Amino acid sequence: MRYPTPKGIAARFASILLLVPLYVHANDGETLMQKGGANPAALPCITCHGADGKGMAAAGFPRLAGLPEAYIAKQLADFRAGRRENPVMQPIAQSLSDEEIAAVAKAYAARPKVNVKPAAAGERPQPGSGAWLALRGAWERNIPECTLCHGPSGVGVGSAFPPLAGQGAEYIEAQLQAWRGTRAVPATKKTKAVAAVPPTRRNDPNGLMQHIAADLSEAEIKAVAAYFAGLGESPEAFDESQHRLR
Amino acid sequence: MQSHLTPTLTRLLPLLLAGISLGAAGADPSRFDDQSQLPGAPARTKGQPYFQPPEERDIPNNAFGDLVRRGQDLFMNTKALAPDYVGNEMNCVNCHIDRGRKANSAPLWAAYPMYPAYRKKNNKVNTFVERMQGCFQFSMNGKPPAADSEILTALTVYSHWLSTGAPVGKSLPGRGFDEPPPPRGGYDIARGKVVYDKQCAICHGADGEGQKVGVTSVFPALWGKDSYNWGAGMHRINTAAGFIQHNMPLGKGETLSDQEAWDVAAFINSHERPQDPRLVNGSIDETRKRYHENDGVNLYGVVVNGVKLGQGIK
C-alpha cells in the first residue's frame, strides 16, 4: 500500500486542473451527438449513428465511435465542400460550425475503437471470396489487399486509413459504389446512350482508393463488404503485445 | 539544392559487380552473399505475359504443402514469426510484393531457378540460401538463420513451389526491379523530398518512420532504426528507383516518371539507417572503398548537406 505524498497529491490536483478544459470540450461534442448543433438543421447524430456511436448497419448508417479524429473532421469538411455527396449527410455537415466539427470529431474519436478478434491461425482465404480480396488483393489489377491500407483485420491505420471492421455491409458497398460511379453506355440502334454518372465520393487522398473501387466487379464489392461486416466485434480485448498476422 | 550527376556507367554496373572478397571463416557474417546488383533481366516482348506462378489453392495437402504454407507465412510475417533473425521491423513481403509473386518486385519465381549462381568477379558460387541469408543480414538488419534451419528450408520450399514450371537457369522478364535509366540531368534530393511529402508521407510517415498497428508494422519504415541497413540492396538509389517506379505509391505503380523515381529514391537513401554490418575497421571511408564505391549509385560515405552519411543508427 502506498500513501500519496504531498507531491503526489499536488501532481494529481494539477492533472485534474489540466483535465478540466478538455472535459468541457469533450462535453460539447457529447451534447452535439445527443442534441444536435446550434443550427437546428444539424440533427442529433445519435438518431442515425446510434446512441453508442456504433451506427445502424441495416440502415447503412456508419459507425463513428473510435474512428480517427482527423478522419471524421475531414469527412465532414468533404461533405461540406461537396467532394463527398450525400443527400442526408451533406446538409447536416453544412449546418455545423468549424468548432462544432472539431468538438464532435474529438468526442467520437474518444469512444471505444472496434475490437476485432484476429483471424484463427491456419485460416486460408479462398480465391474469389471476399476474404481473398481483403487478405490477398488482386494484384493483376493493381489492387493491393484491403488490409494492407486498412490495417490487419481492417482495424484502420493512423488517421488517414479508416477501419472497415465495425462497418456494416450496406455502408461499405455504398461507399465503393460512390467511388465508382457508372460508365457511359453507348447508344445502339434500339436504345439511347446513357451518360456516365461521375463518382459521388471524390475525396480520397491522391486517388488511393478510387481506382480500387472502380476495378472491382459488382460481385466482388458484395463479397468484400460482407467479409468486413462479418468480422463483427469481440468482447475480449486484443492483447496489444501480440502481432497481428497477415 | 543539391544536384548530383549520375555516372553514365550505371547501366553497365550490373556487369561491374562489386569486388568483394568473401571471407571463408564460418562465423564471419561477410561470408554470406552480399546484396550486390542482380544482372539485368531480359525485357518482355509486347503482349507477352509474365511467368505465372501456381495458385495458392494448388498447394498440395501433404508434408510438402505444409512447408510451402509455412514458407509463405514466414515471408509475410517475418518479424512476428522469426523475431530472433530480424533486427528491424521489416518483413520479406515489404520489398517482394504480393507474397513474392509480383513481377518487377524481385519475385521469388524468377530468383529460385537462377541459383546456384556463379560470379566471375570473385570466382565464387552463391546459393539460393546464401542470397536469402543476405536479405536477413542487410534488408532485415538481422542475423541470418543457419542454412539448414527450418526457417530457410521453409522459405526455400516456398520459392521452389512458386517457380513450378519455370525454366532452370534462364533469366525471366520481371526478375529484379527493372531499374529505370538514370535521368539525364542527374537526380535531385530536394526535388525528391517534394515527391515524398506529396505521395509517400501519408503512409510511410513524415519522417520515414512507417506506421504500426499495435506492435505490428503496416507501412514499413524507409529510413531510421526500423528500416533496412546501409548494406542492403535497397540503399542503392538505382535499385530503389526501380522498386519504387514499379510498385509505389502502393496500388499506383508505374505512375512516377524516371526522374521522380530517382529523385525520391535519392531522398530516401540520403537518410541515416542502421550501419553496414561489414563496417571495416570502424571506418566509413574504408567501408565505402571496399563495399560501396563500385556498388551502383549510393550515398554511403558521401557528404550530403555538410554531413557524411553512413554514421549508422543504434
Side-chain angles (χ1 to χ4, degrees), chain B residues 43-44 50 68 106 132 135 140 154 175 177 179 241 276 298 304:
Chain B
R44 188 165 60 138
Y50 288 112
V68 173
M132 289 194 293
C135 269
M140 318 296 279
R175 186 182 181 200
F177 296 124
E179 300 166 13
D276 186 335
N298 70 80
V304 171

Side-chain angles (χ1 to χ4, degrees), chain B residues 38-39 51-54 100 106-118 126-129 131-132 155-176:
Chain B
L38 299 173
F51 172 81
Q52 290 300 311
L108 294 173
W109 46 259
Y112 183 80
M114 296 307 289
Y115 294 84
Y118 172 66
N126 288 122
T127 66
F128 186 72
V129 162
R131 183 83 216 197
M132 289 194 293
L155 287 168
T156 305
V157 171
Y158 175 53
S159 310
H160 169 87
W161 172 77
L162 275 178
S163 68
T164 306
V168 173
K170 184 168 173 277
S171 184
L172 292 172
R175 186 182 181 200

